[in-house]
C-alpha cells in the first residue's frame, strides 16, 4: 500500500480505540508503537468506571473484580470506610485491557507494526510521512497518541504538557485486605495520594502519585500500610497535568496523554483518552470523507474535546494545588468531618467516578468550615 488513510503512533488505549473506530468505517489504518507488544510496563492502578466496557464496546475479559467498598487512610492513622450500595468501579488487568482493545482493532482491519519507533514526521502537500530507523511510511493523516513522549508534538509545532506529577508503582506480595485502600497526607504523597489495589493471588499494586521524590513517597506508603518490608523496585513515570494547546495542525491530531487529556484529580488517563479518541476519529472521518485536511477543519477536534473535559482538567489542577497547601492537621480535620453522620450519604448522592467537577465543588463547599 502506497499511502494509508491514517497513521496512528502509539498503542495505548486512546490510539487503539481511535484505530478501531476508523477501521470500522472502512479506512486503512496502520498502528505503530516502539514497544515489542501491547500493554507492557504500564503504570496504572487499573481502576476504571464499571460502565467502561459497555460504553466503549470493549471485551470485559480483562476484568479482575468490581469495587464497591473503599478504605481511605490518613498519614495520622484515621480511617474512612466508604461502602457504596452497588459496585461503582472495577479493577482490570491493564495489559489485558490494552490487548483486548488491540484484538478488536485488528479484527476491524487495523495493521499493527511494533518495535517501530517514529523519530521524525514531515507534513507534505499530499500527506504525512513518518520516519523510523531506515524506513518510512506515508498517510493522508496522522494521529499522535504517544503518551508522555512529546517529540512528535514538537516536530510538527504542536503543544505539549509542561506540568507533571510523578507516579511510582510495583507489584507487592500482600495479604489481609480485600478492599482498595487510598492513603492521603502531604507527608505521604505531596499533592497526591498512595494506593493499594489487591489483585489475585495475594498480590497488590502499591503505588503513589506525587509531586517530586516518587520513590521516597512510595516507600512511605509501603511503611505505613504493610506489615513487612518487601524488596521491590517501583517503576516510575511522569503524568501530564493541565490543558495543552494546540493539539491539531494540517493533517495531524494529538490524543490521550500526549494532549494532556488526563484526570488531574487522580492521574487516570484511560477514560478521558477514550472519550477524546472518539472525537478524533469522528473529525478524521469527516476530513477523509471531504478530502479536506486543512488546519481550520482539524481545529474542530480541539474545540470539541476542550468543551467536553477542559473544565474538569482545570478544576482538578486547582484542587491538587489546594490540597498541597493543607497541613496534615487540616487533613485530619477533614477525615473527622467526613466521618460525621450524613457525610458519607452526601458523598454517595453526589459522587461520580468518571466526572469529578460537580462533586468537587459540592464537597469543598461542605468542608470549607472544617479546614479553616
Amino acid at each position: 500500500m502506497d499511502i494509508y488513510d491514517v497513521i496512528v503512533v502509539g498503542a495505548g488505549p486512546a490510539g487503539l480505540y481511535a484505530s478501531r473506530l476508523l477501521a470500522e468505517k472502512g479506512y486503512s489504518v496502520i498502528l505503530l508503537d516502539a514497544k515489542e507488544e501491547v500493554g507492557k510496563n504500564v503504570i496504572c492502578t487499573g481502576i476504571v468506571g464499571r460502565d467502561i466496557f459497555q460504553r466503549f464496546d470493549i471485551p470485559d475479559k480483562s476484568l479482575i473484580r468490581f469495587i464497591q467498598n473503599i478504605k481511605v487512610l490518613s498519614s495520622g492513622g484515621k480511617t474512612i470506610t466508604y461502602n457504596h450500595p452497588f459496585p461503582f468501579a472495577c479493577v482490570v488487568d491493564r495489559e489485558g485491557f490494552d490487548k483486548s482493545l488491540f484484538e478488536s482493532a485488528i479484527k476491524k482491519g487495523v495493521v499493527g507494526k511494533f518495535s517501530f519507533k517514529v523519530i521524525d514526521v514531515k507534513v507534505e502537500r499530499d500527506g504525512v510521512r513518518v520516519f523510523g530507523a531506515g524506513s518510512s511510511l506515508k498517510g493522508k493523516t496522522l494521529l499522535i497518541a504517544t503518551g508522555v513522549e512529546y517529540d512528535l508534538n514538537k516536530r510538527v509545532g504542536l503543544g505539549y504538557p509542561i506540568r507533571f506529577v510523578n507516579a511510582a508503582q510495583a507489584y507487592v506480595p500482600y495479604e489481609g485486605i480485600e478492599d482498595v485502600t487510598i492513603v492521603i497526607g502531604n507527608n505521604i504523597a505531596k499533592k497526591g495520594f498512595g494506593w493499594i489495589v489487591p489483585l489475585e493471588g495475594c498480590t497488590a499494586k502499591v503505588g503513589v502519585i506525587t509531586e517530586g521524590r516518587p520513590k521516597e513517597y512510595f516507600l512511605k506508603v509501603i511503611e505505613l500500610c504493610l506489615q513487612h518490608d518487601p524488596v521491590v523496585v517501583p517503576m516510575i513515570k511522569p503524568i501530564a497535568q493541565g490543558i495543552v494547546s494546540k493539539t491539531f495542525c494540517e493533517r495531524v491530531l494529538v490524543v490521550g496523554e500526549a494532549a494532556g487529556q488526563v484526570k488531574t484529580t487522580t492521574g487516570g488517563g484511560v477514560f478521558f483518552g477514550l472519550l477524546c479518541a472518539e472525537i478524533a476519529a469522528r473529525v478524521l472521518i469527516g476530513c477523509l470523507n471531504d478530502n479536506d485536511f486543512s488546519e481550520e477543519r482539524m481545529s474542530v477536534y480541539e474545540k470539541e474535546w476542550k468543551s467536553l473535559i477542559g473544565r474538569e482538567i482545570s478544576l482538578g489542577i486547582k484542587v491538587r494545588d489546594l490540597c498541597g497547601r493543607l497541613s496534615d492537621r487540616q487533613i485530619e480535620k477533614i477525615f473527622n468531618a467526613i466521618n460525621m453522620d450524613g457525610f458519607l450519604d452526601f458523598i454517595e448522592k453526589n459522587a461520580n467516578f468518571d466526572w469529578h467537577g460537580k462533586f468537587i465543588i459540592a464537597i469543598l463547599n461542605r468542608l470549607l468550615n472544617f479546614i479553616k
Side-chain angles (χ1 to χ4, degrees):
M1 179 177 293
D2 293 331
I3 184 168
Y4 291 92
D5 290 317
V6 186
I7 297 174
V8 179
V9 183
L16 290 163
Y17 187 53
S19 298
R20 191 192 88 189
L21 294 176
L22 289 158
E24 281 178 344
K25 296 299 183 180
Y27 295 104
S28 58
V29 181
I30 186 166
L31 175 70
L32 308 176
D33 198 278
K35 292 182 180 179
E36 295 179 357
E37 60 182 289
V38 169
K40 287 294 185 183
N41 299 323
V42 176
I43 295 180
C44 176
T45 63
I47 299 176
V48 295
R50 64 166 295 172
D51 299 325
I52 198 168
F53 300 104
Q54 182 176 359
R55 168 65 179 79
F56 299 104
D57 191 22
I58 300 171
D60 65 0
K61 58 186 178 181
S62 64
L63 173 63
I64 295 176
R65 64 187 180 87
F66 288 106
I67 298 174
Q68 187 168 348
N69 307 317
I70 285 185
K71 181 182 291 185
V72 185
L73 302 178
S74 75
S75 58
K78 293 189 181 297
T79 301
I80 298 168
T81 301
Y82 177 64
N83 303 307
H84 204 66
F86 54 83
F88 61 91
C90 54
V91 179
V92 299
D93 168 12
R94 255 305 300 273
E95 182 175 343
F97 183 84
D98 289 9
K99 286 183 175 178
S100 292
L101 282 167
F102 177 63
E103 290 167 4
S104 297
I106 294 299
K107 288 178 181 177
K108 298 299 181 180
V110 174
V111 177
K113 189 175 180 65
F114 291 84
S115 299
F116 188 102
K117 181 173 178 57
V118 177
I119 57 177
D120 199 4
V121 174
K122 290 186 178 179
V123 179
E124 301 174 344
R125 181 184 58 80
D126 59 345
V128 182
R129 189 172 294 277
V130 301
F131 298 86
S135 63
S136 68
L137 295 164
K138 190 166 185 177
K140 294 179 182 177
T141 59
L142 170 67
L143 183 62
I144 299 172
T146 50
V148 291
E149 298 288 338
Y150 305 112
D151 286 349
L152 301 189
N153 298 41
K154 297 175 184 178
R155 294 279 182 181
V156 293
L158 297 183
Y160 50 90
I162 58 175
R163 176 171 174 165
F164 298 88
V165 289
N166 295 297
Q169 179 177 273
Y171 290 87
V172 176
Y174 189 65
E175 298 182 55
I177 190 169
E178 295 184 359
D179 294 335
V180 171
T181 300
I182 305 299
V183 186
I184 295 176
N186 279 317
N187 67 331
I188 292 290
K190 181 70 173 178
K191 294 189 181 181
F193 59 92
W195 63 82
I196 299 174
V197 181
L199 305 173
E200 298 170 317
C202 298
T203 301
K205 284 184 180 180
V206 178
V208 65
I209 178 171
T210 181
E211 282 198 357
R213 309 196 308 276
K215 185 175 180 180
E216 176 183 328
Y217 286 123
F218 169 83
L219 294 174
K220 288 186 176 183
V221 174
I222 292 284
E223 181 181 355
L224 179 68
C225 298
L226 300 185
Q227 301 301 313
H228 58 292
D229 185 16
V231 180
V232 292
V233 178
M235 294 189 298
I236 296 173
K237 67 158 283 191
I239 297 176
Q241 298 278 279
I243 296 286
V244 171
S245 294
K246 63 183 197 173
T247 57
F248 67 93
C249 64
E250 182 181 352
R251 296 185 181 271
V252 182
L253 299 179
V254 184
V255 72
E257 193 165 1
Q261 294 160 353
V262 175
K263 291 180 186 176
T264 40
T265 46
T266 66
V270 174
F271 181 68
F272 280 3
L274 294 175
L275 286 175
C276 295
E278 286 184 332
I279 299 171
R282 184 169 65 251
V283 170
L284 289 174
I285 287 168
C287 292
L288 289 161
N289 283 343
D290 297 339
N291 197 35
D292 181 358
F293 309 104
S294 65
E295 183 164 313
E296 181 180 1
R297 183 65 180 270
M298 303 292 264
S299 70
V300 173
Y301 164 68
E302 184 165 301
K303 293 174 184 175
E304 288 196 22
W305 80 254
K306 287 187 175 179
S307 175
L308 181 64
I309 65 172
R311 181 173 178 272
E312 294 274 321
I313 292 172
S314 297
L315 185 57
I317 288 282
K318 293 177 182 177
V319 169
R320 189 176 291 283
D321 288 342
L322 171 63
C323 291
R325 292 195 295 271
L326 295 177
S327 67
D328 285 334
R329 181 171 174 270
Q330 288 173 316
I331 290 173
E332 296 295 310
K333 286 185 176 181
I334 290 173
F335 270 67
N336 290 336
I338 292 175
N339 277 320
M340 291 174 59
D341 288 343
F343 210 111
L344 293 177
D345 290 338
F346 172 83
I347 291 174
E348 178 186 320
K349 292 175 182 177
N350 288 275
N352 183 300
F353 182 81
D354 287 315
W355 298 100
H356 301 160
K358 290 182 179 179
F359 172 66
I360 287 170
I361 292 171
I363 200 168
L364 284 178
N365 286 335
R366 189 171 177 117
L367 284 172
L368 189 59
N369 291 329
F370 291 93
I371 61 176
K372 290 181 179 179

